[in-house]
Amino acid sequence: MAIDPQPEAAAVAAPTAGGERGPWSLAARRFVRNRVAVAFLVLFFLIVLFVLAAPLWADHVAHTGPNKTHTLQQLTVGGEKRDVVNVEGQPIGPQLFAADGMFFLGADSRLGRDEMVRLMYGGRTSLLIGITTALITTALAVILGLLAGYYRGWIDTVIARTLDILWSLPVLLVGIALGVTLAVGGLKIGPLELSGGSLWIPIIVICVFTVPYIARPIRGEVLSLSNKEFVEAAVAQGAGPLRVMFGEILPNLASTIIVFFTLTIANNMLFEAGLSFLGAGVQPPNSSWGTMITVGVDLLNTQPLLAIIPGTMIMLTVLSLNIVGDGLRDALDPRSKIDLEAHTGTVATKASGAAAI
Amino acid sequence: MSPAPLLSVKGLRVGFSTEGGLLQAVDDVSFEVRPGEVVAIVGESGSGKSVTAQTIMGLTRSKNARIEGTAEFEGMDLIEASDAELRRLRGDRVAMVFQDPMTSFNPVYRLGAQIGEAIRAHRDGVSKSEARARAVELFEAVGIPNAEGRVDDYPHEFSGGMRQRAMIAMALALEPDLLIADEPTTALDVTIQAQILELLRELNRKRNLATILITHDLGVVAEIADRVLVMYAGRVVEQGTLDQIFFDPQHPYTWGLLGSLTRLDKPRPVRLPQISGAPPSLLALPEGCSFRPRCPHEFGPCIDLPPLQARLRDEPGHCDRCWLSPEAKKEKRQVAGQIGLEAPTP
Amino acid sequence: MARFVIRRLAGMIAVLFAVSVIVFVIFNVVPNTNPAQLLAGKNSTPVLVKSIEEEWGFDNSLPEQYLTMMKKIFTGELTSYKPRISVDEQIIERIPATFSLSIGAAIIWLFFGLLLGYLSALRAGGWLDRFLTGFAIAGISIPVFLIAPVLLYFLTYKLEIFPNAQYVPLTENPSEWLSHLILPWVTLAILSIGFYSRVLRSNMLDVMNEDYVRTARAKGLSERRVMSRHVLRNSLVPIVTLFGLDFGATIAGTAIITEYLYSLNGIGLYAIEAVQKFELPPVMGVTIYGAFFVVFVNALVDIAYAYLDPRVRLGESGAS
Ligand SMILES: Nc1ncnc2c1ncn2[C@@H]1O[C@H](COP(=O)(O)OP(=O)(O)O)[C@@H](O)[C@H]1O
Ligand code: SF4
Ligand SMILES: [Mg+2]
């Protein structure tokens, strides 16, 4: 009888407490225990409901559309007539339910559009862009990260250098440049044709510049995963590259991907707001929360809410996504408090980040 | 009579509250270290050796830790001592050498400066240049060639073995009475391992430096230990002198450890069957003897935890935690692989 | 070290080349319209379009067009079209405003970000840490275009504590310079304060688990010394890289929006006004100079980083 002196992994691995629970249900339980994160997840869903309700509110309460102007019209409030836009060009302030829900938050500018309706439709655009770009970015980043990390060699070099270059661009500035040139003339690549006002243009701009932020960390993770035994075992059993990348490595990236996806929605919504705010994103007459702030800032002195309300909506959405993302990270990757001897190389990994390029 | 102990640990228990519940990393460990003595603590990874050592140094104090028992060092109980008292002792009277010399030095400071920092933390009025000069002396003492030229190197410029020498030099900086070496050779190549052990043995002899040597390798123990504690799942399962453990081992776990040992003095006996399974999770220890799930000799009484006690009439210092009678042990041991039957050829 | 610097500079030149190609592609290849039309702006006359076409040589081959663009950018021949003014002169005139804004804000965010992160890490898990973490997440989530309107409305319009921004040169009137910049600084710094404090906190928590921190304690160092000399010092190394990436990106990003919101007559405001008039030469100029600046700062930071981390400097680790 002899004892293998190194059954280290088995001794160090944290045993599951209550028996048969899988890692996902454990993570779900940990997340649910995080009250703050759950509360903000609920807030996020409320915001989504709010923007989804836009047509209902527009048709049944406000009786107008997001881009409809009411400059020369009057509103009956408590039997008294009021200008939607007065002679000095000042839009009417919030009416709440005084006019049966019309101009609930007042009018947006001298164009006299219903601020509440625009807020709801604008939110749709902002969220739509945020989520779409996050989906595309994450998918692209995962594919690039897998290819670079798995094949290494020249494929990795090409991908990594491209990402480095994109990473080192002044993102907003180049984003503005690209957004503007595209907004003027639209885009035409082969059969694909987009007009200047298309929402796809800000989506493309955002995707191009945010891919490296996810692809780089994923590539790093793939690099280290592909040295692991289970990958080598799969290769030894004759699994092809696709099978290894998507069957073996990808599932191990799931928690990273989920966290990044959540945080990327938040980040991209801020990016969209920035672009739109500067006129290089969503083009009029479409609204997004970013374009609404641009309009509102001009009237800051007299009608501060026109800038503050859409700004607050962005903040609440981004805040809830950030907190949910953080909560997910904690739930999916609780720093194992048990490993005392297994952290060699932490600093070295960080150091290698600097030597890029 | 043996001299009064330098360090006397009694009933040491260390538990950590973790997500999975209370983890009893060390359970009822007692031992003594006398001046000039080398006490080895052996056991598989995860058996609580490092936690024992670090608790003596006060390095496991944290919110989630529950520490009980006493550890008297020259009359002061290190478990009860205040943080400030412990700090004064650490590095000065009791010094520690860690397993991985790669990561145990701060990569951004020069080695000489890190040694100097230890000296200046305990001796007011030592200037930086004096501390550096002392570091050079220490480098020479531990056999680092060209000490003067290398004392200003960064850790990564040293090879693993040299780095461990530097680590030992740092531990010796203030001439401690007790050295705790936690797996000092585990991360090193075999030839370097031998050199480092030789260095430790020499220090022990020349400076009469009491040493606690932690290792999972009985081969290392055989080289230098006076007395040995065998730990399993947080508990001491056998303790005795080097000869007692090597030539009359009482616990089936110790037999297993000895069986995996490569004997350099004899042709290797027939390959012994590997023991099945892994050490138990400390969060879900089996009832009774914690070695039970892996023990081929388990019988009725093993469902109760055996006490650590001397079971051989004429050897009061040789204790173990196994219900088998000494006679039964002798017999089973023979069947299991003839361990400990012949006297050594030194 | 010399080899490191040379390698780094070579890398920088490669990136600069790539950046210029990207900008070229954005302005000359991507657009689906006549680029001359694009350069001339929204309400251009055919005469103007014709002259621009000749000026930029749009009927030449792409490499020739690229060279023309680079030549214009580097010889300072870039001019805006309505009115016809040199882009370079405009940019140079506005550098002080942009630098005052970004450097001042950077000092504020570094100071508070690191201070809060340090406190948070020291008290990890305690109520102060929770409070600071909440504050940091909120800070990261507040867009500048919410902070600025709120601050402006309350502190400038209602309470009239701060002047309605605009830039006053430091050389002209230091106290006015300061009072005009306080709100923009705060606006720009809040996000980064949150971000840096989070990064420092998590770096410190990682470093606290390092073996060498245990060694430092085992040497008998005081807790304060362990924290400052070992934990903090080593946690700052990656922060330097972050700052390099971030400072450039901030000048070329959030600072633009801040300038616009506070009507600070800096480079960002210039670029935005050009964007809104669809005047491309200023956008092109600002973009490419901005990119060069960012790349340059990144290179400087990497070299500084190498000083801080001997392993990089001496070329042991680092190849990723
Ligand atoms: N701070 C801690 N918190 C929770 N568990 C710990 C802590 N330190 C050590 N442990 C656990 O205590 C057990 C014993 O560890 P250790 O003493 O390092 O074993 P070894 O004998 O290999 O040195 C291990 O299971 C380890 O995971
Ligand atoms: S007590 Fe029983 S189970 Fe434990 S070691 Fe002895 S024989 Fe084996
Ligand atoms: Mg250990």
Side-chain angles (χ1 to χ4, degrees):
Chain A
M1 180 186 70
I3 293 173
D4 176 10
Q6 276 130 341
E8 322 233 333
V12 171
T16 32
E20 337 295 298
R21 296 185 171 279
W24 292 108
S25 77
L26 266 178
R29 282 211 322 185
R30 261 190 236 112
F31 184 82
V32 171
R33 236 182 291 150
N34 184 343
R35 293 279 163 73
V36 179
V38 172
F40 277 91
L41 184 63
V42 171
L43 175 64
F44 178 71
F45 281 122
L46 289 179
I47 293 171
V48 172
L49 281 183
F50 173 75
V51 304
L52 286 181
L56 290 179
W57 181 278
D59 292 349
H60 300 289
V61 184
H63 304 289
T64 182
N67 301 328
K68 203 148 165 211
T69 60
H70 300 272
T71 316
L72 297 174
Q73 292 173 16
Q74 288 192 320
L75 199 60
T76 319
V77 182
E80 174 195 335
K81 296 233 174 229
R82 286 193 200 161
D83 289 332
V84 171
V85 178
N86 70 13
V87 280
E88 284 128 44
Q90 287 291 327
I92 195 167
Q95 302 300 307
L96 303 184
F97 287 106
D100 296 328
M102 291 163 80
F103 293 96
F104 186 83
L105 293 175
D108 76 320
S109 63
R110 60 172 66 234
L111 294 178
R113 296 174 293 196
D114 187 313
E115 176 81 355
M116 180 68 170
V117 175
R118 283 179 74 72
L119 189 70
M120 295 170 93
Y121 275 99
R124 286 186 147 203
T125 317
S126 294
L127 271 167
L128 182 76
I129 293 183
I131 294 172
T132 318
T133 54
L135 277 174
I136 300 176
T137 321
T138 315
L140 265 180
V142 168
I143 293 172
L144 289 178
L146 277 173
L147 288 177
Y150 181 76
Y151 282 109
R152 311 195 183 190
W154 66 269
I155 296 186
D156 181 37
T157 312
V158 170
I159 293 178
R161 289 296 165 266
T162 313
L163 295 177
D164 284 346
I165 289 168
L166 283 177
W167 177 285
S168 62
L169 286 176
V171 171
L172 188 62
L173 209 48
V174 183
I176 293 170
L178 187 58
V180 169
T181 45
L182 289 179
V184 174
L187 179 68
K188 193 166 180 232
I189 311 171
L192 177 76
E193 203 169 337
L194 295 172
S195 77
S198 165
L199 284 188
W200 283 103
I201 287 180
I203 291 179
I204 291 173
V205 172
I206 292 171
C207 288
V208 168
F209 293 109
T210 43
V211 164
Y213 290 85
I214 317 178
R216 285 189 17 159
I218 291 213
R219 165 183 170 268
E221 221 172 304
V222 175
L223 275 178
S224 77
L225 278 173
S226 50
N227 287 331
K228 290 269 160 67
E229 273 166 31
F230 67 89
V231 173
E232 281 162 14
V235 174
Q237 283 168 16
L242 282 182
R243 169 100 191 68
V244 173
M245 278 190 278
F246 292 93
E248 303 291 335
I249 300 180
L250 187 60
N252 283 286
L253 296 173
S255 55
T256 313
I257 294 174
I258 290 173
V259 173
F260 267 116
F261 176 68
T262 319
L263 298 177
T264 305
I265 301 177
N267 205 40
N268 287 0
M269 284 186 66
L270 284 178
F271 196 174
E272 180 275 323
L275 282 179
S276 299
F277 177 72
L278 299 177
V282 174
Q283 299 297 323
N286 287 332
S287 66
S288 80
W289 287 336
T291 61
M292 291 182 70
I293 299 175
T294 321
V295 175
V297 161
D298 290 337
L299 294 169
L300 189 59
N301 201 352
T302 50
Q303 306 262 1
L305 288 181
L306 291 180
I308 292 175
I309 288 177
T312 309
M313 290 305 290
I314 296 179
M315 185 195 77
L316 289 178
T317 317
V318 170
L319 182 64
S320 56
L321 287 167
N322 278 341
I323 291 179
V324 169
D326 243 45
L328 285 174
R329 185 184 359 234
D330 290 347
L332 290 168
D333 169 37
R335 279 271 169 67
S336 159
K337 283 157 196 126
I338 306 179
D339 72 355
L340 265 187
E341 301 180 335
H343 40 249
T344 357
T346 323
V347 169
T349 345
K350 275 180 200 145
S352 61
I357 304 169
Chain B
M1 260 331 298
S2 45
L6 187 62
L7 173 75
S8 160
V9 177
K10 287 207 183 76
L12 185 67
R13 290 167 54 85
V14 186
F16 297 103
S17 48
T18 68
E19 234 188 312
L22 183 75
L23 184 151
Q24 197 66 49
V26 174
D27 194 352
D28 195 17
V29 168
S30 306
F31 64 95
E32 290 178 345
V33 185
R34 295 186 182 78
E37 192 180 36
V38 178
V39 174
I41 305 181
V42 226
E44 281 165 296
S45 176
S47 54
K49 308 178 301 286
S50 299
V51 172
T52 305
Q54 290 178 21
T55 304
I56 295 169
M57 293 285 277
L59 295 175
T60 50
R61 292 184 174 188
S62 68
K63 256 188 246 141
N64 72 332
R66 261 196 18 217
I67 305 174
E68 295 156 66
T70 58
E72 278 196 18
F73 180 82
E74 299 191 327
M76 186 207 282
D77 182 4
L78 303 183
I79 306 301
E80 288 294 314
S82 71
D83 287 347
E85 283 171 325
L86 265 180
R87 190 157 56 236
R88 250 172 272 132
L89 209 79
R90 283 206 286 257
D92 191 351
R93 312 295 313 283
V94 186
M96 196 153 176
V97 172
F98 296 99
Q99 168 172 350
D100 192 347
M102 279 306 260
T103 55
S104 296
F105 277 112
N106 190 328
V108 307
Y109 296 119
R110 298 171 195 281
L111 287 166
Q114 297 191 48
I115 295 175
E117 188 183 29
I119 298 172
R120 283 154 51 84
H122 294 282
R123 301 281 184 273
D124 291 338
V126 177
S127 73
K128 279 197 177 158
S129 60
E130 285 162 353
R132 183 183 174 282
R134 175 88 180 107
V136 174
E137 281 171 39
L138 287 162
F139 267 28
E140 277 160 2
V142 297
I144 296 174
N146 183 18
E148 177 67 42
R150 303 220 62 181
V151 75
D152 293 325
D153 277 1
Y154 287 96
H156 73 268
E157 297 174 85
F158 268 45
S159 68
M162 282 300 147
R163 220 174 294 172
Q164 195 60 297
R165 282 178 193 266
M167 194 80 212
I168 294 171
M170 184 156 85
L172 297 178
L174 295 150
E175 316 218 307
D177 304 303
L178 176 64
L179 177 71
I180 304 181
D182 188 351
E183 311 239 12
T185 60
T186 308
L188 306 174
D189 294 343
V190 185
T191 47
I192 313 286
Q193 282 191 12
Q195 292 168 12
I196 295 291
L197 279 181
E198 181 55 41
L199 173 63
L200 287 174
R201 180 156 49 192
E202 184 191 310
L203 292 170
N204 170 251
R205 302 245 164 92
K206 279 199 194 146
R207 307 192 179 209
N208 202 30
L209 178 62
T211 306
I212 300 177
L213 175 74
I214 293 175
T215 176
H216 63 253
D217 184 355
L218 271 178
V220 169
V221 172
E223 300 282 327
I224 75 172
D226 297 314
R227 283 189 309 114
V228 181
L229 272 77
V230 181
M231 283 185 76
Y232 186 77
R235 297 193 182 105
V236 175
V237 293
E238 180 163 5
Q239 67 184 47
T241 63
L242 183 68
D243 286 353
Q244 287 167 344
I245 297 293
F246 269 73
F247 304 121
D248 193 14
Q250 295 295 301
H251 197 281
Y253 177 64
T254 316
W255 307 345
L257 285 181
L258 284 166
S260 61
L261 192 62
T262 320
R263 297 274 295 263
L264 295 176
D265 54 342
K266 322 205 128 243
R268 205 187 152 98
V270 204
R271 178 100 183 128
L272 300 158
Q274 288 284 319
I275 192 166
S276 57
S281 152
L282 293 175
L283 290 169
L285 280 182
E287 216 183 315
C289 172
S290 36
F291 190 55
R292 202 159 51 90
R294 301 169 81 186
C295 181
H297 314 297
E298 181 205 352
F299 64 122
C302 306
I303 196 72
D304 292 317
L305 178 65
L308 180 68
Q309 66 184 38
R311 292 182 162 83
L312 295 164
R313 223 165 300 120
D314 46 352
E315 288 179 19
H318 188 179
C319 306
D320 68 84
R321 260 186 210 277
C322 175
W323 286 120
L324 291 171
S325 69
E327 297 72 35
K329 282 171 180 156
K330 208 161 202 165
E331 186 185 319
K332 298 201 187 276
R333 194 169 70 190
Q334 202 160 7
V335 176
Q338 308 192 323
I339 296 155
L341 286 187
E342 325 105 290
T345 32
Chain C
M1 190 72 202
R3 252 191 55 208
F4 177 80
V5 173
I6 291 171
R7 221 180 44 208
R8 193 62 190 75
L9 289 178
M12 183 175 131
I13 289 168
V15 173
L16 291 183
F17 175 70
V19 167
S20 67
V21 170
I22 290 174
V23 171
F24 172 75
V25 168
I26 288 177
F27 288 107
N28 300 37
V29 182
V30 169
N32 191 21
T33 40
N34 177 0
Q37 182 81 45
L38 206 57
L39 282 173
K42 249 183 192 164
N43 317 309
S44 50
T45 58
V47 184
L48 181 59
V49 173
K50 188 90 195 104
S51 79
I52 291 175
E53 232 162 56
E54 273 160 27
E55 186 184 335
W56 288 75
F58 283 126
D59 36 13
N60 295 337
S61 69
L62 284 180
E64 273 173 278
Q65 288 184 37
Y66 171 78
L67 288 180
T68 312
M69 183 189 92
M70 292 312 283
K71 203 177 124 231
K72 279 186 175 302
I73 287 172
F74 280 110
T75 53
E77 281 172 44
L78 223 44
T79 44
S80 57
Y81 292 104
K82 278 173 278 146
R84 281 193 83 91
I85 325 178
S86 155
V87 170
D88 281 22
E89 275 168 29
Q90 289 290 308
I91 290 180
I92 290 167
E93 202 181 303
R94 291 158 204 254
I95 282 179
T98 297
F99 275 42
S100 300
L101 172 66
S102 7
I103 294 173
I107 292 172
I108 295 177
W109 91 54
L110 276 179
F111 179 78
F112 285 101
L114 298 185
L115 179 70
L116 298 188
Y118 184 67
L119 292 177
S120 217
L122 283 191
R123 300 264 173 278
W127 65 266
L128 181 67
D129 178 36
R130 278 172 208 214
F131 173 77
L132 291 177
T133 299
F135 177 83
I137 295 194
I140 292 169
S141 310
I142 300 180
V144 276
F145 25 77
L146 174 59
I147 308 174
V150 169
L151 291 181
L152 264 179
Y153 180 71
F154 289 104
L155 300 183
T156 300
Y157 297 152
K158 289 289 122 169
L159 302 176
E160 301 188 355
I161 299 174
F162 292 102
N164 195 351
Q166 302 210 322
Y167 179 69
V168 178
L170 177 63
T171 46
E172 212 167 86
N173 185 338
S175 77
E176 285 285 299
W177 173 82
L178 187 71
S179 67
H180 279 83
L181 276 168
I182 287 179
L183 288 187
W185 280 341
V186 171
T187 306
L188 192 51
I190 282 184
L191 185 146
S192 300
I193 291 177
F195 188 53
Y196 278 68
S197 71
R198 301 269 298 160
V199 173
L200 182 65
R201 174 184 181 276
S202 91
N203 283 352
M204 283 182 64
L205 292 185
D206 280 349
V207 172
M208 278 181 208
N209 281 319
E210 293 288 342
D211 289 350
Y212 57 77
V213 173
R214 191 179 54 192
T215 309
R217 292 214 171 87
K219 287 198 287 198
L221 302 188
S222 69
E223 200 53 29
R224 242 186 63 200
R225 195 171 167 93
V226 172
M227 282 298 159
S228 60
R229 289 275 297 175
H230 292 269
V231 177
L232 181 63
R233 166 65 173 74
N234 288 57
S235 308
L236 284 179
V237 176
I239 298 262
V240 172
T241 316
L242 178 68
F243 181 72
L245 288 171
D246 210 51
F247 181 66
T250 305
I251 293 198
T254 335
I256 300 183
I257 304 177
T258 311
E259 283 179 11
Y260 180 73
L261 284 162
Y262 289 100
S263 332
L264 290 177
N265 203 359
I267 299 168
L269 186 60
Y270 178 56
I272 296 177
E273 283 170 356
V275 165
Q276 290 172 343
K277 287 187 286 181
F278 287 104
E279 272 262 11
L280 290 194
V283 181
M284 193 187 280
V286 173
T287 307
I288 209 144
Y289 293 139
F292 281 21
F293 179 75
V294 169
V295 170
F296 179 67
V297 171
N298 287 355
L300 275 190
V301 163
D302 271 7
I303 292 166
Y305 181 97
Y307 265 107
L308 285 176
D309 191 333
R311 286 166 306 174
V312 178
R313 179 183 343 148
L314 301 163
E316 189 209 49
S317 100
S320 52

